């Protein structure tokens, strides 16, 4: 398509003719995707649990999270601004922009040690997160000091389900790798007696807006 324009101002008095301006190419704006973009949870490693505070109802941990965009290398929009530090939004956002929308709703303190998109094989894009944080956790203390607690980390996205760029978490118990700490610094006080598990919830902070949440615990 072409954007047409003309300079209609007459110059030099009688007989002066209007001069057309140069034609300006016009490209159609991107349109939203027809369905939510699937982010496949491939791996979650609990690298370290350094503190469990029953008084503050919080714990500190280091996590490694890997998500896959299947076929992402064949989507030009996902490759835009590859690993730029401040990616821009578009109606078809890039993988780098999507990566920067992930957040942890129950985090009291959070530092990103690593946040990047990588190309794996000839087809897929992998989104990598390595974080250190302190996470809020309501502890049940009725059986203290012989209590058993569940530690949970909530991973969500700022992309609303009702927005123009929703995402959807997916995973398979046959392919996802869930790893708990191999060296538990608090083993003299606590025992890790349950396997790591994933649950999917929906966060509803305001009417008409919901967000996907992946719970790790």
């Amino acid at each position: 398509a072409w954007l047409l324009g003309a300079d209609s101002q007459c110059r030099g008095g009688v007989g002066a003719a209007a001069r057309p301006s140069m034609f300006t190419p016009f490209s159609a704006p991107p349109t939203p995707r027809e369905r939510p973009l699937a982010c496949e949870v491939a791996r979650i490693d609990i690298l370290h649990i350094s503190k469990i505070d029953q008084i503050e109802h919080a714990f500190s941990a280091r996590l490694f999270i890997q998500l896959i965009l299947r076929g992402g290398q064949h989507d030009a929009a996902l490759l835009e601004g590859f690993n730029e530090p401040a990616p821009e939004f578009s109606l078809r956002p890039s993988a780098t922009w999507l990566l920067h929308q992930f957040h942890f709703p129950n985090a009291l303190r959070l530092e990103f040690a690593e946040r990047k998109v990588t190309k794996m094989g000839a087809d897929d894009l992998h989104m990598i997160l390595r974080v250190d944080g302190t996470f809020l956790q309501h502890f049940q203390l009725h059986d203290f000091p012989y209590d058993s607690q569940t530690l949970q980390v909530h991973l969500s996205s700022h992309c609303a389900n009702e927005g123009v760029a929703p995402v959807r978490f997916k995973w398979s118990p046959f392919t996802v790798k869930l790893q708990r700490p191999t060296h538990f610094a608090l083993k003299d006080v606590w025992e890790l007696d349950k396997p790591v598990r994933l649950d999917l919830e929906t966060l509803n902070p305001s009417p008409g807006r919901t967000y996907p949440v992946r719970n790790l615990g």
Side-chain angles (χ1 to χ4, degrees), residues 15 26 52 88 124 145 148 150 207 209:
F26 176 77
I52 300 176
E88 296 183 357
D124 302 333
S148 176
T150 299
R209 284 292 186 185

Side-chain angles (χ1 to χ4, degrees), residues 78-97:
L78 289 176
L79 295 173
E80 283 287 333
F82 199 69
N83 280 327
E84 287 184 352
E88 296 183 357
F89 169 76
S90 74
L91 293 179
R92 284 181 176 263
S94 67
T96 303
W97 185 88

Side-chain angles (χ1 to χ4, degrees), residues 17-194:
R19 297 180 300 175
S21 65
M22 297 292 294
F23 289 135
T24 303
F26 176 77
S27 58
T31 56
R33 291 182 171 87
E34 296 180 355
R35 58 180 60 90
L37 195 63
C39 297
E40 180 180 332
V41 181
R43 181 170 183 168
I44 298 179
D45 290 350
I46 304 174
L47 302 175
H48 187 55
I49 299 176
S50 59
K51 183 180 181 182
I52 300 176
D53 192 328
Q54 294 131 303
I55 303 300
E56 297 293 334
H57 286 269
F59 68 97
S60 298
R62 178 179 301 166
L63 304 169
F64 174 85
I65 300 172
Q66 183 178 11
L67 303 109
I68 303 176
L69 297 172
R70 294 293 183 188
Q73 293 188 45
H74 305 293
D75 188 322
L78 289 176
L79 295 173
E80 283 287 333
F82 199 69
N83 280 327
E84 287 184 352
E88 296 183 357
F89 169 76
S90 74
L91 293 179
R92 284 181 176 263
S94 67
T96 303
W97 185 88
L98 291 169
L99 178 65
H100 282 249
Q101 305 315 303
F102 291 125
H103 68 111
F104 298 81
N106 68 324
L108 300 174
R109 177 194 62 83
L110 191 72
E111 296 180 5
F112 288 95
E114 186 177 21
R115 182 164 54 177
K116 66 180 182 181
V117 180
T118 62
K119 297 179 181 180
M120 298 294 287
D123 301 303
D124 302 333
L125 293 176
H126 286 219
M127 296 185 288
I128 305 297
L129 289 169
R130 191 187 303 268
V131 300
D132 287 284
T134 299
F135 303 93
L136 184 66
Q137 179 68 55
H138 179 67
F139 290 131
Q140 301 289 341
L141 300 177
H142 300 290
D143 297 327
F144 181 85
Y146 303 105
D147 50 311
S148 176
Q149 307 293 344
T150 299
L151 305 180
Q152 288 191 332
V153 174
H154 302 168
L155 172 65
S156 184
S157 171
H158 289 299
C159 301
N161 293 325
E162 299 78 12
V164 296
V167 298
R168 177 172 59 90
F169 290 119
K170 61 177 293 187
W171 67 285
S172 168
F174 302 105
T175 58
V176 67
K177 296 180 180 179
L178 303 175
Q179 181 66 45
R180 65 183 193 175
T182 54
H183 301 286
F184 185 39
L186 305 177
K187 62 183 179 180
D188 292 337
V189 182
W190 295 90
E191 294 182 1
L192 296 177
D193 61 353
K194 292 183 178 180

